[in-house]
Amino acid sequence: MADPATEIDPRLLEILVCPLTKGPLTYDRSKQELISLQAGLAYPIRDGIPIMLVDEARTLEDDEKAALAGKP
């Protein structure tokens, strides 16, 4: 689990959107990433700060997308 000092403020999560699609993001606490299923990207969170740059984002693998899409 992430260190509480690096947790994201829930209010920030409510207003952040994917910079590429302007769509919603899902917080993956264990990987410290914000996931955009629409873009197929995972934006890193470093020291509690979301890095919302497409160039810094990781491309999701097909199995990751399928697993995340299957979540309720």
Side-chain angles (χ1 to χ4, degrees):
M1 188 164 125
D3 180 347
T6 62
E7 283 295 306
I8 293 290
D9 184 336
R11 294 172 296 192
L12 182 59
L13 291 175
E14 291 175 15
I15 60 171
L16 285 176
V17 295
C18 174
L20 188 62
T21 66
K22 309 299 185 237
L25 297 167
T26 304
Y27 178 40
D28 184 333
R29 179 176 274 120
S30 64
K31 292 183 180 177
Q32 286 294 291
E33 294 178 325
L34 292 174
I35 308 295
S36 172
L37 276 178
Q38 289 176 329
L41 296 172
Y43 297 94
I45 300 170
R46 297 185 188 128
D47 299 320
I49 300 168
I51 310 300
M52 304 304 296
L53 300 170
V54 175
D55 291 348
E56 293 286 323
R58 175 178 69 80
T59 302
L60 295 175
E61 300 294 330
D62 289 338
D63 58 335
E64 286 180 293
K65 286 190 242 181
L68 289 166
K71 285 187 177 180

